[in-house]
Amino acid sequence: MAKILIIDDERAIRNTLREILEYEDYEVEDVDNGIDGLDMIRTNDYDLVLCDIKMSRMDGMEVLTEGLQIKPDLPFIMISGHGTVETAVEASKKGAFDFISKPPDLNRLLITVRNALDRGSLVVETKVLKRKVSKVRPILGESQGIQKIKETIERVAPTDARVLVTGANGSGKELVARWLHEKSNRANAPIIEVNCAAIPSELIESELFGHEKGSFTSAIKQRIGKFESANGGTLFMDEIGDMSLSAQAKVLRALQENKITRVGGEKEIDVDVRVVAATNKDLLKEIEAGNFRMDLYHRLSVILIHVPPLTERKDDIPLLTQSFLEEICNEYGMPVKKISEGALEALKALPWTGNIRELRNMVERLIILSDKTITEDDVKAFANPSAPVTAGAQAAAAPQTDFNQFKNFQDYKDYAEREYIKFKLEKNNWNVSKTADDIDIQRSHLYSKIEKYGLKRGE
């Protein structure tokens, strides 16, 4: 349900607009001046603003300008009883979606509102898609280990030296590989990824080198492999320690001669590829165990970069957390939540066996389940599963949630919202007014939620 804010100093107009929009199932809030309107824009998440131009305490054009500074993607529809072409043009130049004269025509108003909401949704979706397409994010952190990695990338990236990136799962090895490519002379060519652990051993050679039609039962047509696809660019071989010995031999030959032969083929194909490999295994131990070729190890490890686990760079957690807060809230199209110093200290105290990936998941969980400001209590309540639990805490803990019961993400969000509201109501002894203030929503909105989820006192 879209949420709309009306800013107008005429009560009759506000009431008329509210009645029309609520009849169309929009959630509506209104205010009689621009100063309070801007405060509401700062503290709430609106999908659209209807704003009068001529108001006493603050002119509507000022509200438009400041409102778009606060939330650049928020659509504004300006309304005025003194509409002129010049006014409409000025509003458009300042960033308004459209201009409507008073008294508003019902059909024109509703069509304009729908169009503005559709545009707002498209803007948010476009930003999310761009962010998902672009996998090159900054390497965040000021710790000694991260500074060393950044310096190494600056020196090594412009060369064609092969690089072996080591580190635990979730520590950011792929990000290092992408920056090596991004800062190299091959940046305009593709970076091709292959996860050696995700491909069955009998298919890994076909995946890397391609195959000719008819070379095996399911080879119904010729296929280009990853080496050829990465020609002129970078080949990122993740989890290289899980590659079969037969595939390792072929990779070694490709690195030595810069030539490959497709499975089932006889022709040698020249390739110009820079290989960046990554692993979470100790390859020297794998060599001792006979699982990895020493000669391939030396070919791959011209430059070694070790990515430290999050437990060795806990001072970077506040910076990483803030970045994830902004990124995830923007993806959800909501205001960026704040986090207290106590919450950051609580995050730093956790073990983080899943490293950066686990931290991002934790931040997303806190955004969904907490209020506007994430507190130390929130971190303790929604602590990541890897955190150690004392015997006393285990006895007091609620049963674990069976995530298989949720058909989709919306079902889980509804469940989480219901449990959170129920918890807050019980904490405040079912004082609805106090609970509404506590979780920062309107009392009428809280009543709607109670009715929606069928919450009852003492259930």
Side-chain angles (χ1 to χ4, degrees):
M1 182 189 297
K3 190 173 181 180
I4 299 174
L5 174 65
I6 300 169
I7 306 174
D8 197 307
D9 56 2
E10 294 183 58
R11 178 181 291 275
I13 292 291
R14 294 202 310 276
N15 290 342
T16 300
L17 292 173
R18 174 186 278 274
E19 186 176 341
I20 293 168
L21 295 171
E22 286 185 337
Y23 183 79
E24 295 293 321
D25 288 332
Y26 295 118
E27 184 181 340
V28 182
E29 293 180 357
D30 64 77
V31 67
D32 62 3
N33 67 88
I35 296 173
D36 291 343
L38 288 172
D39 287 339
M40 294 177 74
I41 289 170
R42 286 188 190 94
T43 56
N44 294 284
D45 186 18
Y46 296 106
D47 299 291
L48 174 65
V49 175
L50 293 171
C51 183
D52 188 18
I53 290 182
K54 299 294 181 182
M55 294 185 290
S56 55
R57 293 181 63 186
M58 178 181 269
D59 183 76
M61 292 297 188
E62 294 179 64
V63 177
L64 171 64
T65 302
E66 292 193 28
L68 289 177
Q69 287 176 352
I70 298 167
K71 294 184 179 172
D73 298 327
L74 180 61
F76 272 76
I77 296 175
M78 307 306 291
I79 50 179
S80 177
H82 312 281
T84 64
V85 174
E86 289 78 11
T87 308
V89 170
E90 184 186 356
S92 296
K93 285 182 177 179
K94 289 181 179 289
F97 176 79
D98 207 343
F99 176 90
I100 295 177
S101 299
K102 290 182 183 178
D105 174 80
L106 176 59
N107 289 330
R108 166 83 195 283
L109 172 68
L110 292 177
I111 290 171
T112 305
V113 165
R114 289 190 195 107
N115 289 342
L117 290 171
D118 287 344
R119 175 187 172 275
S121 298
L122 286 172
V123 168
V124 172
E125 287 174 14
T126 300
K127 286 192 170 185
V128 171
L129 287 171
K130 282 182 178 178
R131 194 174 292 112
K132 287 181 177 178
V133 169
S134 175
K135 295 184 179 180
V136 184
R137 303 178 183 186
I139 298 176
L140 298 174
E142 303 298 332
S143 61
Q144 186 177 352
I146 294 302
Q147 290 301 326
K148 184 178 179 181
I149 289 173
K150 290 178 181 178
E151 291 170 7
T152 304
I153 289 173
E154 291 293 335
R155 289 189 177 192
V156 174
T159 73
D160 274 341
R162 299 184 195 102
V163 181
L164 178 62
V165 186
T166 62
N169 286 332
S171 58
K173 299 188 295 296
E174 181 186 346
L175 187 58
V176 171
R178 287 193 165 275
W179 274 110
L180 284 166
H181 174 74
E182 198 70 17
K183 289 184 173 289
S184 74
N185 299 326
R186 300 171 178 263
N188 292 327
I191 175 171
I192 303 297
E193 299 177 42
V194 56
N195 187 328
C196 302
I199 304 168
S201 57
E202 63 271 15
L203 295 178
I204 186 72
E205 291 181 36
S206 171
E207 188 75 18
L208 291 174
F209 308 113
H211 61 247
E212 298 291 352
K213 180 179 178 181
S215 56
F216 49 88
T217 306
S218 58
I220 57 175
K221 62 180 180 179
Q222 185 189 71
R223 174 174 178 171
I224 302 298
K226 299 294 187 182
F227 267 87
E228 283 184 81
S229 299
N231 194 35
T234 303
L235 178 63
F236 174 50
M237 303 180 71
D238 199 8
E239 306 299 351
I240 191 79
D242 293 279
M243 183 182 289
S244 67
L245 287 169
S246 61
Q248 289 177 36
K250 285 201 170 185
V251 169
L252 178 63
R253 178 176 177 273
L255 297 180
Q256 286 173 335
E257 302 178 8
N258 293 321
K259 296 175 186 279
I260 63 156
T261 303
R262 297 190 191 118
V263 176
E266 297 179 358
K267 179 184 175 183
E268 289 189 334
I269 301 168
D270 292 328
V271 288
D272 172 24
V273 173
R274 181 191 194 173
V275 172
V276 176
T279 182
N280 62 351
K281 293 185 174 181
D282 184 337
L283 291 187
L284 294 177
K285 288 184 179 179
E286 293 297 308
I287 291 169
E288 288 179 10
N291 298 325
F292 202 82
R293 295 179 62 116
M294 181 177 287
D295 46 5
L296 178 57
Y297 172 79
H298 289 304
R299 283 281 176 182
L300 292 172
S301 59
V302 176
I303 303 293
L304 276 168
I305 296 179
H306 178 68
V307 184
L310 192 56
T311 50
E312 293 180 11
R313 43 179 295 216
K314 288 196 172 185
D315 287 342
D316 289 337
I317 286 177
L319 183 61
L320 290 162
T321 301
Q322 187 59 42
S323 176
F324 290 145
L325 280 172
E326 294 172 5
E327 177 186 321
I328 295 166
C329 286
N330 287 333
E331 285 182 5
Y332 286 165
M334 61 192 294
V336 178
K337 290 194 174 184
K338 297 178 181 177
I339 185 165
S340 69
E341 287 297 324
L344 289 173
E345 290 301 317
L347 287 174
K348 289 167 74 173
L350 293 173
W352 301 118
T353 55
N355 294 295
I356 308 295
R357 191 178 296 134
E358 184 183 9
L359 175 61
R360 191 187 189 282
N361 291 343
M362 177 64 169
V363 172
E364 185 168 6
R365 188 183 310 134
L366 289 169
I367 288 171
I368 295 169
L369 300 177
S370 67
D371 296 335
K372 282 192 303 182
T373 299
I374 298 168
T375 65
E376 183 178 355
D377 289 339
D378 292 326
V379 175
K380 291 177 180 177
F382 312 125
N384 49 348
S386 69
V389 181
T390 63
Q394 273 185 329
Q400 288 192 344
T401 302
D402 177 15
F403 292 104
N404 290 322
Q405 67 181 294
F406 307 114
K407 294 180 180 178
N408 51 50
F409 187 47
Q410 186 59 50
D411 283 354
Y412 172 69
K413 287 202 294 184
D414 288 342
Y415 166 82
E417 187 176 64
R418 182 187 189 278
E419 293 301 304
Y420 175 70
I421 290 173
K422 179 183 174 185
F423 168 77
K424 287 291 188 179
L425 284 166
E426 290 174 350
K427 183 180 177 182
N428 292 315
N429 198 27
W430 274 79
N431 184 324
V432 176
S433 180
K434 187 175 186 305
T435 303
D437 288 339
D438 193 12
I439 64 178
D440 195 33
I441 66 173
Q442 288 188 326
R443 189 169 53 182
S444 60
H445 194 189
L446 180 55
Y447 275 120
S448 298
K449 295 288 185 185
I450 293 171
E451 184 178 351
K452 174 183 176 181
Y453 295 123
L455 294 171
K456 294 179 181 178
R457 187 169 191 163
E459 67 172 357

